Amino acid sequence: MSAAPGSTGPVVELSGGAVAIAGRPILRGIDLTVPAGEFLALMGANGSGKSTLVRALTGLHPLAAGSLRLFGTPYDDFHDWRRVGYVPQRGSAASGVPASVWEVVASGRLTHRPLFRRLGRRDRAAITDALEVVGLADRAGDGVSTLSGGQQQRVLIARALAGEPELFFLDEPTAGVDLPNQHVLADSLATLSGRGATVVLVAHELGPMATLVDRAVVMRDGRITYDGPPLTHDQAHEPELSARVALAHVDDLDPGHHHDHETVARHDHAPHVASPLDRPAEEDR
């Protein structure tokens, strides 16, 4: 049975997930559950598999093994994609096609209305709200190609926001983006999170978004090596330190708790349906 909008149950449940690309294993033994309303940071070095994991969760990469449920529904039976927003890695809002900022953001409403139906009042309100959230309301009529890379990234986020998603995936949204635009992106995600959306953020470094994170998952060599409280950048890139942080956190919560050092720090356990979400330009393998 599908989880209803506003449900507090898990919105993502991946068990024993594995992904192989061109016959080469990329992800292995991934167990990941994301509860509704959580802000999850998916971290790790370049090539660790974090972007591949997000693409598997959105159907852009088929699972070679394991099972995936979205909003309580098995992936093969899930069709309510308007509940899911996705911003690809290092995407361009321009895409070589002349379009205004407003037009690009308006395309995010396609999942809410029949093809060729004119935008209604609710559609326009959602578009306006999305532009305001990312701080681009004053640039709505400008051509996307006239914007900076950081501003174009904000347009892509606004496009996803216009769809009013409950589950929001962002793949390295601050890569190559200057600090002022990173702060605007952080403010935009704070607004989205404050409205109750579930956010899964892929990041090499969190920067201004660090204060928003509820939980960190760290990947290495296609496996999850840490799943627990938020980490600093240095901790996320040092597996041994990540393990110690996890154990220390358990001790803080329950000093009498007995734990197995191996099971805290390591998870060893990677349906072909084309996803309706945009295909990203690059692979993180």
Side-chain angles (χ1 to χ4, degrees), residues 93-110 113 119 123-124 126-128 130-131 136-137 139-145 147 155-156 158-160 162-163 278:
S95 301
V97 178
S100 70
V101 170
W102 194 92
E103 289 169 334
V104 172
V105 176
S107 68
R109 295 296 297 175
L110 291 176
R113 57 193 177 88
L119 291 170
D123 296 316
R124 293 179 181 278
I127 295 165
T128 298
L131 286 167
L136 290 174
R139 303 296 300 271
D142 294 352
V144 173
S145 61
L147 304 184
V155 171
L156 292 177
R159 181 179 67 178
D278 294 334

Side-chain angles (χ1 to χ4, degrees), residues 17-19 25-30 220-224 267-270:
V19 170
I26 304 298
L27 302 180
R28 290 156 290 183
I30 303 294
R220 184 181 186 187
D221 298 328
R223 298 180 186 270
I224 292 177
H267 296 239
D268 276 342
H269 290 307

Side-chain angles (χ1 to χ4, degrees), residues 48-66:
S48 62
K50 56 188 186 296
S51 288
T52 299
L53 175 55
V54 163
R55 292 167 199 159
L57 297 178
T58 56
L60 294 170
H61 283 321
L63 290 176

Side-chain angles (χ1 to χ4, degrees), residues 42 48-56 61 86 89 171-172 202 219 282-284:
L42 188 57
S48 62
K50 56 188 186 296
S51 288
T52 299
L53 175 55
V54 163
R55 292 167 199 159
H61 283 321
Y86 175 64
Q89 184 180 25
D171 193 354
E172 298 275 12
V202 176
M219 297 194 66
E282 301 187 17
E283 301 288 350
D284 177 17

Side-chain angles (χ1 to χ4, degrees), residues 35-105:
E38 184 172 69
F39 196 117
L40 173 70
L42 188 57
M43 305 179 71
N46 291 334
S48 62
K50 56 188 186 296
S51 288
T52 299
L53 175 55
V54 163
R55 292 167 199 159
L57 297 178
T58 56
L60 294 170
H61 283 321
L63 290 176
S67 63
L68 172 64
R69 299 174 72 89
L70 297 175
F71 296 96
T73 301
Y75 176 78
D76 288 343
D77 299 324
F78 183 78
H79 305 293
D80 199 4
W81 288 103
R82 64 182 179 178
R83 301 177 73 179
V84 181
Y86 175 64
V87 177
Q89 184 180 25
R90 290 182 290 275
S92 170
S95 301
V97 178
S100 70
V101 170
W102 194 92
E103 289 169 334
V104 172
V105 176

Side-chain angles (χ1 to χ4, degrees), residues 90 148-150 153 172-179 181-182:
R90 290 182 290 275
S148 69
Q153 189 72 348
E172 298 275 12
T174 60
V177 174
D178 60 24
L179 190 57
N181 275 298
Q182 288 185 35

Side-chain angles (χ1 to χ4, degrees), residues 186-278:
D187 290 342
S188 302
L189 294 182
T191 299
L192 180 66
S193 181
R195 293 175 177 178
T198 305
V199 179
V200 177
L201 170 71
V202 176
H204 183 69
E205 297 185 39
L206 293 173
M209 299 184 189
T211 59
L212 304 176
V213 176
D214 298 314
R215 170 180 160 215
V217 168
V218 180
M219 297 194 66
R220 184 181 186 187
D221 298 328
R223 298 180 186 270
I224 292 177
T225 59
Y226 173 87
D227 185 341
L231 299 175
T232 66
H233 173 267
D234 290 340
Q235 289 170 339
H237 291 82
E238 176 50 62
E240 289 76 14
L241 181 58
S242 297
R244 289 199 294 274
V245 170
L247 295 172
H249 178 71
V250 170
D251 286 336
D252 288 342
L253 293 178
D254 183 2
H257 181 77
H258 296 286
H259 42 251
D260 181 338
H261 287 225
E262 289 295 316
T263 58
V264 171
R266 189 180 66 199
H267 296 239
D268 276 342
H269 290 307
H272 184 67
V273 180
S275 169
L277 303 176
D278 294 334

Side-chain angles (χ1 to χ4, degrees), residues 110-122:
L110 291 176
T111 56
H112 286 263
R113 57 193 177 88
L115 193 62
F116 304 123
R117 197 197 80 182
R118 296 181 64 180
L119 291 170
R121 181 178 300 175
R122 179 174 176 179

